[in-house]
Amino acid sequence: MTEPKKIKPGRVDGKNCEYRSGSHRVPKHCSNEVEVLLQKNVDKAAKKQKKVGQGTQDKRRTIIRNFFSDLFYLKFKIASVYNLQQKHLKAVFN
């Protein structure tokens, strides 16, 4: 008989959770607003006056889309991406 696999505490990559970040549907109006924001700032660096590479752009796009997916998974119904509040950030990051 084999022992059950022990789960490591504090995993942040979702391996111990049934829900996968980014798997929930985002309403079309919010999805469109996110795309507009991403296109405006597609190659801007966060701190310096330089452009970022394609890999960084792809990672940003994935993270931001997953954030809004998680927000709607948690049953928050925001009318616009410009209406984000601190409670939304806390809910997703907790």
Side-chain angles (χ1 to χ4, degrees):
M1 191 162 185
T2 61
E3 293 182 31
K5 186 178 178 181
K6 291 186 178 182
I7 297 175
K8 296 178 183 178
R11 295 299 293 259
V12 295
D13 57 5
K15 289 185 178 178
N16 297 332
C17 180
E18 291 178 13
Y19 175 72
R20 295 288 180 243
S21 182
S23 63
H24 196 74
R25 186 187 154 284
V26 177
K28 193 73 170 169
H29 67 279
C30 283
S31 181
N32 290 342
E33 286 183 356
V34 168
E35 283 304 314
V36 168
L37 283 174
L38 287 170
Q39 287 303 318
K40 261 191 218 178
N41 304 297
V42 69
D43 61 353
K44 293 181 183 175
K47 295 187 179 185
K48 296 181 181 178
Q49 294 293 330
K50 67 174 193 169
K51 295 188 176 197
V52 297
Q54 188 63 42
T56 302
Q57 293 175 25
D58 293 342
K59 286 178 188 175
R60 283 182 183 173
R61 183 174 309 273
T62 301
I63 290 168
I64 292 171
R65 284 180 177 168
N66 288 353
F67 172 82
F68 282 99
S69 174
D70 295 346
L71 191 63
F72 283 97
Y73 173 76
L74 293 171
K75 307 289 188 231
F76 284 98
K77 294 179 175 139
I78 59 171
S80 171
V81 297
Y82 299 102
N83 294 343
L84 280 180
Q85 297 175 359
Q86 189 173 3
K87 67 179 181 180
H88 300 121
L89 298 172
K90 284 182 179 179
V92 171
F93 292 120
N94 283 336

